[in-house]
Amino acid sequence: MTARELLKIVVVGHVDHGKSTIIGRLLYDTKSVPEAAIERVKRISKEKGRPFEYAYLLDALEEEQKQGITIDTTQIKFSTPKRDYLIIDAPGHKEFLKNMVSGAANAEAALLVIDAAEGVQEQSKRHAYILSLLGIQKVYVIVNKMDMIEFSEKKFKEIKYEISTFLSKLNVYPQKYIPVSGFLGENIARKSDKMPWYKGETLLQALDLFEKDKELEDKPLRFPIQDVYKFDHRRIIAGRLESGRLKVGDEIKILPEGKVSRVKSIEFWPENNKKDEVVAGMSIGITIEDEFFNKRGEVIVHKNDNTLYVSDTFRANLFWLGKRNLVKNKTYKLKLVTQETECEIVSIDKVIDATTLETVENALEVRTNDVAEVTIKTKEKICFDEFKANSSTGRFVIVDEYDVSGGGIISGLANLKEEATKFAKDDKEMIVHCFDEYYYSLSEDLIRKHPKYKKTFKVGDAVPIEGETYSYPESFDVIDIVGKLVAKIRKGQLNDLVDIDQYIYSELPIITADGFYLKVNSIDEFKDFKNELVQLQKNDNLLLAMFANKWYDISANKSFKFTD
Amino acid sequence: MDHLDRLEAESIYILREAYSKFSKIAMLWSIGKDSTVLLWLAKKAFFGHCPFPLIHIDTTYKIPEMIKYRDKLAKEYNLDLIVHINEEAIKQGMGPEKGRLVCCKALKTDALQQVINKYKFEALILGIRRDEEGSRSKERFFSLRNEDSEWDYTNQPPEFWNQFNTDFPKGSHVRVHPLLSWTEIDIWMYIKRENIPVIDLYFAKNGKRYRSLGCAPCTFPVESNATTIDEIIEELKNTKVNERAGRAQDQEDAYAMQKLRKEGYM
């Protein structure tokens, strides 16, 4: 048996633009449906006093046939000599958008069906937006019901222009525009003689011209643990390889903790399933050399691979399909591969009306069927990729109560506008980072600042002069070169906060607001420092760096600790 | 990976997901080809083990060879098998003559509900496929049923990116469908590839064979000379007949299966 290629194609577009009819016609004309199904449709169409309804080949539910609509997605297999297809028929009604997403999210390519007479409608736009959000790049536009506009080339060109203008705003660039009539079968499986001006392929021919995505096995290894079994003497780590490849003897790292081990065996049943190497897409089981306590949700990567993020905040583009609106500061459940954790939406940076492309900044909620750019904070650190680097580990769903209610793709890490540590007196305020802890994160291979105290210290308050990664004397001054303020710490308490011009050098150690020791040991040195400071341009980073390298000593009071 | 490998990986992932999420879980086994493939996939998923019980809903009208085969296989595989009959309905003389759909509901749907109530199952794994009939084509991999096993097919939660709905209100249960993406031909190709034992009712004798198995009074064989799996696959490639054409309850009404399944039928 040869391995045949499978391509999943979703058919989207506005209600009544003829999606189910086009697919039904394609199946009918290529003899891909059993006689019995055709007989059944003939019978039902006749009972309803209608011509043969191709759409009934897909819309099997009674409510769908009685009302002539598609309620839920249907998936139908279909083959050409070149390869196999899974055609996913998505509903066009707004209230069934969640069903459309269920269908479209599993597809690699899409057909956007648009009624030649009606043009681009609300759901055409919304669906196109969701295609772009799901990262589906391969799109054909099928201009249907050409019979309603007398098969006119002029009108076809007009509508093509209208569609491409809108889609280009979404970064959707269709590869083809095909004029068809689903009901009459024009340009579906046979070339239409009613549109001699159209020199392109029929829909059937065009399907074979979609190119499949690059296989995931060439990407870095991502093996999320789905479960750990101990049915017999073996401790088997089971799951699906989302990307990459793995073989016996490979050195691996288990994130988020970063424990290192080696693959001892690849397990199998029955005997003839033995493999030495497994690749992306397979559901597998392995044993490893070290008996760690492993659990569902950890992700296995190769030992020297530092490309997987481990963090608790990230930015994402999200579509919301819930019964209730998505709101800030409410606890939801987030699922990303086999990881599950509680999460909150900490900021809704932008909400986009998918049909007008109007954006609202800093909205309070995301309404059902809207799309948004959000920042998410999870309760525990999780492992993820950016979606463009790895689609499986770069996307997640959000569960509200019992239902999967939204999905998102990760656009990158986020730095939250955290409440900062401050010194305050009267109307003066100084933001300080000198009490932040510095950690060297081994899993991320970088240094991170951790602001420990998100509070404001007032005159008379004790300040934390000893931390895990810093240590200051009991009495010293803190200088803020940006805010031009100096704080005086005496015997571990905030004693005063003054403008830099009123400050008189006190011969105590000075540190910067960031916690770096200032190489100033005399009144003269302080004068030199202040003169250079006056000339410093706030936004000239190069000068600023030279200035800092000259005057600051990073390691006098600060160090950093290793963490996972 | 060829297309059978892909289907196999998907089904195994779903089986493991269900087993990881639900402690009170069982698999329906009807002795037919699909649920036998499902059992095989479970043994693959759990490395030679089947870590949950199997349920067989016995209507007492099953084709006699099926029961013999069931008992033989249960012994061979050392299965934890729950056989259940809706005794109450049988006592009251339930049978197809009372109406096929009424009978299906009592001896299958209600019997299944009795098992769920008795063992407090949260999840049931079933071998239904999208290509079998219309209402099954609309199914989700993880499909919620309320306390009365009813399926609200016009308002299903979304299911995408291999993330399934595994949280549910108390009292309801989840139907898990690992074989949803398989076609009838896929099933036979896989049986052949893996050399899975199946009951010989599927192979032609005297010009007839069963394409789908059920109760004796309501299940009829189709005209066929296919005596090997290869011949069955060849026949299916060219057939103009539906898989469930020999299942009388499906023909009772244009939307018979939809109506049965809405109430909790498999």
Side-chain angles (χ1 to χ4, degrees):
Chain A
M1 210 184 74
T2 52
R4 276 175 66 81
E5 197 176 71
L6 175 78
L7 185 71
K8 296 179 181 177
I9 301 181
V10 67
V11 184
V12 299
H14 195 71
V15 58
D16 276 347
H17 282 201
K19 296 179 291 298
S20 302
T21 303
I22 287 175
I23 304 169
R25 185 84 213 203
L26 185 71
L27 296 169
Y28 184 90
D29 286 357
T30 53
K31 301 192 169 42
S32 309
V33 268
E35 202 72 24
I38 292 171
E39 283 307 315
R40 179 186 155 90
V41 169
K42 271 187 188 157
R43 196 176 73 230
I44 295 171
S45 304
K46 204 170 141 192
E47 280 168 17
K48 298 194 186 336
R50 298 164 81 151
F52 186 83
E53 281 285 357
Y54 295 99
Y56 289 178
L57 291 168
L58 294 108
D59 296 336
L61 295 175
E62 183 174 13
E63 294 80 350
E64 292 179 322
Q65 297 185 346
K66 287 211 165 121
Q67 300 167 41
I69 55 168
T70 304
I71 290 174
D72 210 332
T73 305
T74 316
Q75 305 196 4
I76 290 224
K77 285 233 173 92
F78 157 82
S79 299
T80 65
K82 177 179 171 164
R83 62 182 163 208
D84 295 337
Y85 291 94
L86 188 69
I87 307 273
I88 304 163
D89 183 25
H93 277 78
K94 185 175 171 177
E95 54 266 41
F96 303 133
L97 190 75
K98 59 187 167 64
N99 298 344
M100 174 267 169
V101 171
S102 298
N106 298 316
E108 277 175 66
L111 306 177
L112 174 59
V113 174
I114 294 183
D115 181 321
E118 283 201 353
V120 176
Q121 295 292 316
E122 188 184 336
Q123 299 315 307
S124 335
K125 294 178 180 177
R126 204 183 288 273
H127 285 190
Y129 202 106
I130 285 180
L131 292 182
S132 100
L133 203 66
L134 294 171
I136 297 172
Q137 301 280 341
K138 306 178 189 71
V139 181
Y140 294 164
V141 171
I142 311 299
V143 179
N144 191 26
K145 307 193 190 180
M146 285 298 292
D147 48 314
M148 309 295 263
I149 58 162
E150 298 80 47
F151 301 106
S152 150
E153 183 182 11
K154 182 170 165 292
K155 287 184 179 157
F156 173 71
K157 281 193 169 148
E158 284 165 12
I159 195 163
K160 184 174 160 179
Y161 178 77
E162 177 198 357
I163 298 164
S164 63
T165 308
F166 180 80
L167 293 182
S168 64
K169 293 181 201 155
L170 303 178
N171 302 320
V172 174
Y173 305 103
Q175 297 164 345
K176 290 181 192 301
Y177 289 79
I178 308 173
V180 308
S181 162
F183 182 67
L184 300 172
E186 304 291 334
N187 280 344
I188 301 289
R190 59 169 176 82
K191 195 115 186 67
S192 169
D193 50 14
K194 299 195 173 59
M195 293 176 268
W197 47 265
Y198 173 71
K199 302 286 183 258
E201 298 84 5
T202 62
L203 171 58
L204 180 62
Q205 292 165 328
L207 290 183
D208 278 347
L209 298 175
F210 273 128
E211 283 198 19
K212 257 190 88 74
D213 286 339
K214 189 162 144 275
E215 291 295 338
L216 284 163
E217 54 198 59
D218 305 326
K219 298 193 168 185
L221 171 73
R222 299 288 183 258
F223 176 30
I225 298 178
Q226 192 178 6
D227 215 337
V228 179
Y229 301 132
K230 189 92 182 59
F231 297 123
D232 43 41
H233 63 283
R234 300 167 295 178
R235 227 178 125 271
I236 302 175
I237 295 174
R240 184 175 49 201
L241 240 57
E242 296 294 344
S243 62
R245 34 185 73 234
L246 189 65
K247 57 186 188 305
V248 175
D250 279 6
E251 293 192 303
I252 54 163
K253 183 164 59 177
I254 303 164
L255 296 173
E257 287 184 18
K259 290 177 298 229
V260 172
S261 185
R262 196 190 292 264
V263 178
K264 192 160 80 176
S265 69
I266 292 172
E267 294 296 327
F268 50 86
W269 183 93
E271 204 53 41
N272 63 7
N273 273 218
K274 190 169 167 47
K275 287 181 196 71
D276 296 328
E277 186 183 47
V278 283
V279 298
M282 293 181 178
S283 285
I284 61 153
I286 61 170
T287 62
I288 58 175
E289 282 182 1
D290 304 84
E291 285 275 326
F292 297 133
F293 172 69
N294 296 108
K295 56 184 188 297
R296 177 183 167 97
E298 293 178 320
V299 182
I300 294 176
V301 299
H302 276 121
K303 186 183 154 189
N304 299 322
D305 175 5
N306 293 320
T307 56
L308 188 67
Y309 290 116
V310 179
S311 172
D312 57 4
T313 43
F314 52 84
R315 291 173 56 86
N317 297 326
L318 161 150
F319 50 86
W320 189 248
L321 311 159
K323 292 178 185 138
R324 289 167 294 274
N325 293 346
L326 177 77
V327 294
K328 279 199 287 200
N329 306 328
K330 173 182 166 181
T331 303
Y332 295 98
K333 187 198 277 187
L334 181 135
K335 290 178 159 187
L336 195 154
V337 287
T338 58
Q339 304 171 97
E340 284 181 37
T341 177
E342 289 183 349
C343 76
E344 280 185 13
I345 311 296
V346 285
S347 70
I348 298 171
D349 307 315
K350 210 196 262 183
V351 171
I352 303 104
D353 182 321
T355 59
T356 61
L357 298 189
E358 280 171 4
T359 59
V360 181
E361 307 273 334
N362 296 319
L364 293 173
E365 55 179 18
V366 183
R367 291 185 319 244
T368 302
N369 298 340
D370 271 347
V371 289
E373 290 174 15
V374 296
T375 305
I376 293 181
K377 189 169 183 4
T378 52
K379 196 173 165 183
E380 289 133 27
K381 285 193 171 176
I382 54 164
C383 313
F384 56 87
D385 284 292
E386 282 182 21
F387 181 78
K388 58 177 187 285
N390 192 318
S391 59
S392 302
T393 39
R395 64 195 183 192
F396 59 89
V397 302
I398 290 182
V399 180
D400 183 14
E401 282 195 13
Y402 302 116
D403 293 348
V404 169
S405 298
I409 62 176
I410 295 173
S411 51
L413 290 167
N415 286 322
L416 287 181
K417 299 188 280 270
E418 302 268 15
E419 278 292 311
T421 319
K422 290 175 190 165
F423 293 151
K425 183 193 172 190
D426 305 329
D427 61 343
K428 292 193 202 67
E429 233 185 32
M430 181 202 266
I431 294 176
V432 289
H433 289 286
C434 50
F435 308 128
D436 293 358
E437 304 285 5
Y438 280 65
Y439 297 115
Y440 187 99
S441 160
L442 288 164
S443 55
E444 294 174 283
D445 208 5
L446 49 83
I447 297 177
R448 284 196 175 281
K449 259 197 319 196
H450 176 65
K452 212 170 183 168
Y453 307 97
K454 295 168 196 165
K455 61 174 284 188
T456 301
F457 296 97
K458 296 194 173 68
V459 172
D461 287 350
V463 298
I465 54 174
E466 287 281 346
E468 257 188 284
T469 60
Y470 64 83
S471 166
Y472 303 119
E474 273 196 346
S475 298
F476 59 102
D477 294 331
V478 183
I479 189 159
D480 177 0
I481 62 163
V482 179
K484 304 275 194 289
L485 290 169
V486 181
K488 296 180 182 175
I489 310 294
R490 299 293 177 266
K491 294 197 172 144
Q493 291 178 344
L494 179 62
N495 164 284
D496 200 3
L497 189 59
V498 296
D499 284 322
I500 199 163
D501 296 331
Q502 268 117 50
Y503 171 68
I504 296 155
Y505 178 62
S506 60
E507 298 195 348
L508 286 167
I510 302 176
I511 66 153
T512 68
D514 289 316
F516 304 129
Y517 176 75
L518 204 60
K519 294 187 256 187
V520 167
N521 292 308
S522 67
I523 189 108
D524 289 333
E525 280 179 342
F526 183 73
K527 276 183 185 149
D528 288 351
F529 164 77
K530 218 177 131 180
N531 286 336
E532 279 189 42
L533 180 63
V534 170
Q535 288 164 34
L536 205 58
Q537 300 291 328
K538 219 193 309 192
N539 44 11
D540 190 336
N541 285 331
L542 187 65
L543 268 179
L544 203 63
M546 283 167 64
F547 177 82
N549 282 321
K550 177 177 175 181
W551 290 105
Y552 301 175
D553 180 349
I554 295 182
S555 56
N557 306 90
K558 278 197 168 295
S559 63
F560 57 74
K561 267 206 154 77
F562 288 105
T563 176
D564 55 1
Chain B
M1 291 174 77
D2 66 24
H3 92 284
L4 287 182
D5 294 332
R6 277 194 298 265
L7 288 168
E8 178 186 275
E10 175 183 85
S11 301
I12 289 174
Y13 187 79
I14 291 165
L15 282 164
R16 288 174 176 170
E17 203 62 9
Y19 178 63
S20 153
K21 286 285 166 191
F22 302 108
S23 52
K24 304 290 291 174
I25 185 165
M27 187 192 273
L28 251 65
W29 182 47
S30 69
I31 299 100
K33 62 187 189 318
D34 304 316
S35 52
T36 303
V37 162
L38 196 54
L39 177 56
W40 184 265
L41 288 163
K43 292 188 73 160
K44 271 202 188 198
F46 306 109
F47 305 97
H49 303 266
C50 181
F52 33 68
L54 300 191
I55 300 172
H56 181 239
I57 301 297
D58 193 345
T59 60
T60 71
Y61 290 96
K62 292 283 168 200
I63 301 169
E65 288 96 323
M66 289 170 72
I67 303 299
K68 268 206 220 72
Y69 186 80
R70 174 191 78 193
D71 297 337
K72 179 172 146 287
L73 211 64
K75 220 166 154 165
E76 251 171 59
Y77 277 32
N78 191 17
L79 300 173
D80 176 5
L81 184 64
I82 299 170
V83 175
H84 182 79
I85 298 171
N86 183 350
E87 300 284 4
E88 196 53 38
I90 295 290
K91 255 190 232 137
Q92 292 173 9
M94 178 51 72
E97 59 284 347
K98 304 242 175 186
R100 286 199 163 110
L101 300 187
V102 177
C103 181
C104 269
K105 171 142 184 2
L107 299 187
K108 288 192 200 164
T109 312
D110 296 349
L112 182 58
Q113 187 65 49
Q114 288 163 358
V115 175
I116 294 168
N117 297 348
K118 183 174 168 188
Y119 293 90
K120 306 213 165 22
F121 285 123
E122 304 166 328
L124 296 177
I125 306 169
L126 292 83
I128 65 159
R129 309 190 326 266
R130 270 194 206 106
D131 73 329
E132 286 182 286
E133 55 83 39
S135 76
R136 286 180 179 171
S137 77
K138 301 285 179 179
E139 269 290 7
R140 299 278 192 261
F141 289 114
F142 282 62
S143 184
L144 187 75
R145 295 294 184 278
N146 70 9
E147 291 151 338
D148 302 321
S149 277
E150 286 166 338
W151 177 41
D152 184 2
Y153 53 80
T154 60
N155 187 23
Q156 303 189 76
E159 184 177 73
F160 53 94
W161 293 342
N162 307 309
Q163 294 291 3
F164 308 107
N165 284 285
T166 48
D167 301 280
F168 59 97
K170 235 187 147 37
S172 51
H173 74 274
V174 174
R175 301 271 174 98
V176 181
H177 304 132
L179 297 181
L180 215 49
S181 305
W182 296 57
T183 65
E184 188 180 10
I185 291 183
D186 294 333
I187 292 283
W188 282 111
M189 283 178 157
Y190 191 71
I191 288 171
K192 178 174 187 245
R193 184 179 96 171
E194 301 284 316
N195 205 3
I196 302 172
V198 285
I199 190 164
D200 61 10
L201 291 169
Y202 287 111
F203 300 100
K205 277 195 254 342
N206 313 323
K208 285 191 184 316
R209 74 175 191 92
Y210 285 96
R211 232 177 112 183
S212 171
L213 296 179
C215 300
C218 298
T219 308
F220 305 100
V222 294
E223 304 273 313
S224 168
N225 292 314
T227 56
T228 64
I229 296 181
D230 282 331
E231 286 170 359
I232 288 178
I233 292 170
E234 208 41 47
E235 175 188 280
L236 294 179
K237 280 181 178 163
N238 301 304
T239 186
K240 303 249 181 280
V241 183
N242 253 344
E243 180 178 6
R244 293 178 64 92
R247 304 294 292 272
Q249 69 268 30
D250 290 38
Q251 326 307 327
E252 289 287 295
D253 162 334
Y255 303 106
M257 275 296 274
Q258 180 182 328
K259 285 170 181 159
L260 276 172
R261 298 196 68 253
K262 181 178 190 293
E263 294 174 334
Y265 187 86
M266 307 74 179

